Amino acid sequence: MQIARTLEMLRKRLDDLRAKGETIALVPTMGALHEGHLTLVRRAAAQADHVVVSIFVNPRQFGAGEDLDAYPRQLEQDSRLLEREGVALVWAPSPDVIYPAGYATNISVGGVSEGLCGADRPGHFDGVATIVCKLFNQVMPDMAFFGEKDWQQLAVIRRMARDLDLTRPHVEAIHGVPIVRETDGLAMSSRNAYLSPEQREQAAVLPRAMKAALVEMAGGEAAEPALESLRDKLLASGFDRIDYVDVRDGDSLALLEADNGNARLFAAARIGGTRLIDNMPLS
Ligand code: PAF
């Protein structure tokens, strides 16, 4: 496995991989890899000849006061995990390689970027769209894999790829991979590492309470009473703040008052300084 730190190294290695006409899958990450990321890598390896994993903590998707400085950076440990998975190439640029002096371009996706995390984290999805567009242009993979925990992010990336005609030839397929959960149901996230043991126990209430809300909404019941009891349970169990609990259409992300057959429950809530997100289908 090689680790490319410059665009020249990346392009040279990609040319070598492509020389035999073999396919390349990209798994974009910010590192601090866990089983959820490794599941993406395995899905990618099942569908492409070579897997390229990017590791870049993208400053442009962190707002003022967010955890950019604290975000775990552990390239050596991540590389060991990826080597074991048979990854061909790790793309680990530094911020000045991605955003050299004078960098001035921003990609902003309307519609699906608004609401949910877009409302609480202004500019976040511009940062995501910008870096993912750059990664697609740099790697030009045949396919790319993203976790469905960040459902809205996936919707933003798909919209951006369609709107900017990136789906061919750069990325023929953008795949979403279902959420990987801990045994108590908490969605895996690099940010779970910020939780104290007590907060970690409280965090598991999020998926449990969401499942209970799904049961309340089953059969097309109005969403609001179930969302109200979900909010109450989270606040009673130690969450300090709820950013949102919404039912929305899984594709357009438009707000819904009850299941339309394609509805998902979305939640974001904070314990101390840690913001946790999750989403589940209603049916
Ligand atoms: O989901 C993430 O880890 C990041 O948002 C991504 C897609 C790698 C872009 O920085």
Side-chain angles (χ1 to χ4, degrees), residues 232-249:
D232 291 346
K233 277 185 204 160
L234 294 177
L235 293 174
S237 66
F239 279 85
D240 299 294
R241 180 172 138 187
I242 296 167
D243 284 355
Y244 57 76
V245 290
D246 281 353
V247 172
R248 290 181 180 251
D249 182 80

Side-chain angles (χ1 to χ4, degrees), residues 111-125:
V112 289
S113 281
E114 292 149 22
L116 297 171
C117 293
D120 297 315
R121 304 183 68 191
H124 168 68
F125 287 120

Side-chain angles (χ1 to χ4, degrees), residues 184-259:
D184 62 4
L186 182 66
M188 286 193 183
S189 164
S190 305
R191 291 191 166 99
N192 293 352
Y194 299 154
L195 299 169
S196 69
E198 190 197 351
Q199 290 174 330
R200 173 64 189 78
E201 267 186 40
Q202 292 164 344
V205 173
L206 178 61
R208 277 207 301 277
M210 287 176 72
K211 275 195 182 157
L214 296 185
V215 173
E216 279 187 55
M217 287 184 274
E221 293 301 313
E224 191 41 43
L227 298 181
E228 191 59 51
S229 69
L230 172 53
R231 285 185 207 103
D232 291 346
K233 277 185 204 160
L234 294 177
L235 293 174
S237 66
F239 279 85
D240 299 294
R241 180 172 138 187
I242 296 167
D243 284 355
Y244 57 76
V245 290
D246 281 353
V247 172
R248 290 181 180 251
D249 182 80
D251 295 320
S252 69
L253 302 187
L255 269 172
L256 298 174
E257 288 177 6
D259 194 3

Side-chain angles (χ1 to χ4, degrees), residues 129-168:
T130 302
I131 186 61
V132 172
C133 183
K134 281 178 70 81
L135 292 170
F136 283 178
N137 283 326
Q138 290 163 349
V139 177
M140 295 200 183
D142 299 281
M143 60 195 90
F145 291 76
F146 297 87
E148 289 183 351
K149 182 171 79 67
D150 298 295
W151 188 275
Q152 187 178 15
Q153 166 172 283
L154 187 53
V156 169
I157 291 166
R158 285 191 165 128
R159 182 76 262 161
M160 184 255 314
R162 277 198 296 271
D163 290 355
L164 298 184
D165 306 315
L166 295 183
T167 44
R168 270 173 184 275

Side-chain angles (χ1 to χ4, degrees), residues 82-102:
L82 295 176
E83 181 130 48
R84 266 189 245 143
E85 296 294 331
V87 165
L89 176 62
V90 174
W91 171 219
S94 56
D96 57 314
V97 167
I98 294 290
Y99 304 117

